[in-house]
Amino acid sequence: MGRYVIRRLLQMIPVFLGTTFIIFAMVYALGDPVAQMFGDRTPDPATVARMRHDLNLDKPLVTQYVLYMGNIFTGDFGEAFNGQKVTELMGEAFPTTLQLTLVAISLEIVLGIGLGLLSGLRRGKILDNVVLIGTLVVISIPVFVIGYLAQYFLAVKWNWVEPSVSADPTIDEMILPAFVLAGLSLAYVTRLTRTSIVENMRADYLRTAVAKGLPRRRVIGVHLLRNSLIPVVTFIGTDVGALMGGAIVTEGIFNIHGVGYQLLQGVVRRNSPTVVGFVTVLVLVFLLANLIVDLLYAVLDPRIRYA
Amino acid sequence: MRGASSAKWVAMAAVVALAATACGGDDDKDDKGGSSSGGGIVSASWTDPQKPIEPANVNEVQGGKVLDMIFTGLMEYDPKTAEAKPAMAESIETKDQQNFTIKVKKGWTFSNGEKVTAKSYVDAWNYGALIDNAQLSASFFQDIEGYADVHPEAEGAKAKAKTMSGLKLKDDYTFTVKLSKKFSTWPQHLGYKAFSPLPEAFFKEHDAWLKKPIGNGPYKVDSYKKGTGMKLSVNKTYAGEDKPVNKGVELKVYTDFNTAYNDVMAGNLDVIDDVPAGQLANVDSDMQGRYINQPAGIVQTITFPLYKKDSWGTKDAIKVRHGLSMAINREQITDKIFSKTRTPAKDYTSPVLKTGGYSEDICGEYCTYNPSKAKKLIEEGGGIPGGKMVLSSNVDTGSHKLWMDAVCNSINNVLGKKDACTVNPVGTFGDFRDQITKREMNGPFRAGWQMDYPLIDNFLTPLYKTKASSNDGEYSNKDFDKLLDQANAEPDTAKAIKLYQDAEKLLVKDMPSIPLWYQNGSAAYSDRVENVALNPFSVPVYQAISVK
């Protein structure tokens, strides 16, 4: 098991190098950030040349990449468009987004698995149908519609919450954005859990457990739920990465200065240090989340072993 | 106990994951950005300026807002009439329109207690012009003698001097400026914030200054957290007349201006100075009159690549350009597509100039929709060069695709052809500007111009003078250049404006670009504040906003 984890961690190095290079090349392909800084005014060539030189833009792509990576290994991720250090930006954005993601994931786990379990156990009953229709509705409405509607009615119309999140957000401010962010995944988790439960209800080992006369709590909690969770865990694991990087819409609506917003700014302003830096960290998050998911399989299913 | 030992490894991997993601999650700074600001503080929407805030390095409105609040230069522009009037200048005298003696008022200090002297200006201007500092607005100093030495034209050339020879200190409060040629209205440029004075602290502790800029304006910066916002309070040592009536301003960075708009409605934010397009339909009922919409110093035009000598650069093409201008139904487009947040253009300047050179009838019939005459003119000119034209613009902002389609439809309807005019959407603004500066445009393209200072000269010289910095269509007319030179040498302002307008009339005759419309500035505000107004630059006049 230990060797397996170490091997997986080592595998991350080439993936890390490859992704950073691809991202770097793609941002490079977006074009020259300098001309854009002058707005509609035509820049004078001397100033432009000086700026390009300062940003290493006058060198070939590969040289730029090597210089950039050299800096990264000394802990220097470069500067964002407004002169702020990218590491500083990450230090502000990642905790904020992490907070949002954790609230969202908790909602997914508690509500998603809970509802899935209930409707799976009561298959065909009213509750099951309500959950199925409700999740279908959530899945079919785009996030920004839900976001703006929630903001308009809950905050502007009825004044229950503030429309935007403050600069140093607290957990309770994050609940509404987290609901909007998690909405889609929540629906998937619910449906996934429900299907899994329904399937396993007819499994032999469950009938055995019931026949043994085990108490219902134990049958459901240990035998049924634990075995039904494998696909759900896979989904939630990958969702952590997706939620952290893909919260652009939700972060925009609720004025959360997190990863998605900073990434978008980086792309709009063509600032490669911001984009590459943030994506690099996101790649690491994805890789580690996947590793954890794989390891969790062994916890949930005794038949799976890693050597 | 398989489960237990696996769980141990999961936990360890989780620790690695947390260490990787949560690194640098340093503790909060002491300045907590509170959500609602009470006690006479005005909260306003903001987005992050694209460059660090230095007077000569800010060329967009978000950084400009801050400069407006924390700096007062020699001149300032009246928020209502856009007229340039002395602020820190005791007097600016000249006999030959080329050598100026500037006396600076005494008794002004920066918010750190340092005195504002003539040296504060001379040092700041030399800093802004020097190529080593790569300031975005360096070209504003180009009229001063010796600019070419500190800021050589050629790429990669080194500066020959550190300071401009045209700037000389006389005593603590007097300095002289020698321009490279006559320029009578030059002192009126000095209200532009690139000409602000800078304290010693700027040069000595540059990084600290950037973190917390120090100026001599009505407000001072209390805290600045990049990406989050800025808090400003009243500068007690401010020696100007327009002292703030509120206790301070809090600028809040918004990810999305729709959110800011909702915050205004919920009473969470006081002023939003750019109402998002999606809210225009309901802004009147939402804000109940607390909405401002007025022309700004921004004019949108369609510029022709006159450097294409055999198509758009020919003599006959002038008639075609006139015809195309008359084929565009400006009223309908500004109404339907922009919900009246654009005003149809009637000249090459902007209505914010009021008495400073704006005229409603300079463009006359050529800027008025007249389908039959338009068709006739285009046909007389030999039709659109090549039979088809492609109109280009970036489409990443500002509903450019929508109005371009409308303009093309308007032209096609007039000509009775389906595809005489088509649209070429360019993905990003940066790409679009690249193509323009490399002179790769084969057809007409969008050109927007936002004024730097409310003077008619600023709408003509940089855009249409031969080889001027933003003359992207490469228009060149000797008579036009001559009139501008005459206007620059004319000591009497009224006469100078008249000469500029004469030059503008030549533009109408040649039509190197078609004026489309003036962009409006907009703002909405909560019922907690009063006296919200926009200045000629479409920035709220923060000093005048009172809190109920």
Side-chain angles (χ1 to χ4, degrees), chain A residues 1-2 37 40-42 44 46-47 50 81-82 91 148 151 162-164 167 252-253 255 257 261 269-270 285 288, chain B residues 9 21 24 48-50 59 151-152 227-228 253-256 259 262-263 268 428 430-431 433 448 452 469-470 472:
Chain A
M1 182 87 177
M37 289 178 195
D40 278 322
R41 180 185 308 281
T42 303
D44 72 301
T47 313
R50 182 61 61 118
F81 68 91
N82 60 3
Y148 278 122
Q151 186 183 45
E162 306 277 304
S164 67
I253 294 173
N255 200 31
H257 299 258
Y261 169 66
R269 316 262 188 167
R270 291 190 188 174
V285 172
L288 288 169
Chain B
W9 281 104
T21 51
D48 243 353
Q50 66 164 1
N59 65 349
H151 197 109
T228 305
V253 171
Y254 275 90
T255 50
D256 179 345
T259 312
N262 281 336
D263 256 352
N268 235 2
T428 63
D431 258 354
R433 286 305 310 173
D452 306 303
S469 60
S470 292
D472 290 328

Side-chain angles (χ1 to χ4, degrees), chain B residues 67-72 88 107-114 116 213-222 231-249 543:
Chain B
L67 292 182
D68 260 357
M69 285 192 268
I70 64 170
F71 280 107
T72 302
M88 258 204 77
W108 283 65
T109 53
F110 291 103
S111 56
N112 65 348
E114 228 178 273
V116 188
I214 297 163
N216 63 335
Y219 291 96
K220 66 178 167 65
V221 178
D222 281 348
K231 286 182 176 171
L232 300 110
S233 65
V234 174
N235 175 10
K236 297 224 165 64
T237 64
Y238 178 60
E241 279 160 14
D242 51 340
K243 293 197 169 56
V245 298
N246 47 48
K247 291 203 175 116
V249 176
Q543 294 99 293

Side-chain angles (χ1 to χ4, degrees), chain B residues 35-43 219 222 232-234 244-250 267 270 528-529 545-548:
Chain B
S35 56
S36 63
S37 40
I41 310 262
V42 177
S43 59
Y219 291 96
D222 281 348
L232 300 110
S233 65
V234 174
V245 298
N246 47 48
K247 291 203 175 116
V249 176
E250 184 186 359
D270 296 328
R528 211 171 72 90
V529 292
I545 299 175
S546 56
V547 182
K548 277 182 205 166

Side-chain angles (χ1 to χ4, degrees), chain B residues 416-436:
Chain B
K417 284 185 201 159
K418 251 196 196 145
D419 52 356
C421 174
T422 50
V423 167
N424 166 33
V426 182
T428 63
F429 181 60
D431 258 354
F432 178 60
R433 286 305 310 173
D434 276 355
Q435 292 180 21
I436 291 175

Side-chain angles (χ1 to χ4, degrees), chain A residues 164-181:
Chain A
S164 67
V165 168
S166 66
D168 279 313
T170 51
I171 292 282
D172 56 317
E173 287 178 78
M174 287 292 192
I175 291 177
L176 179 62
F179 248 111
V180 173
L181 180 65

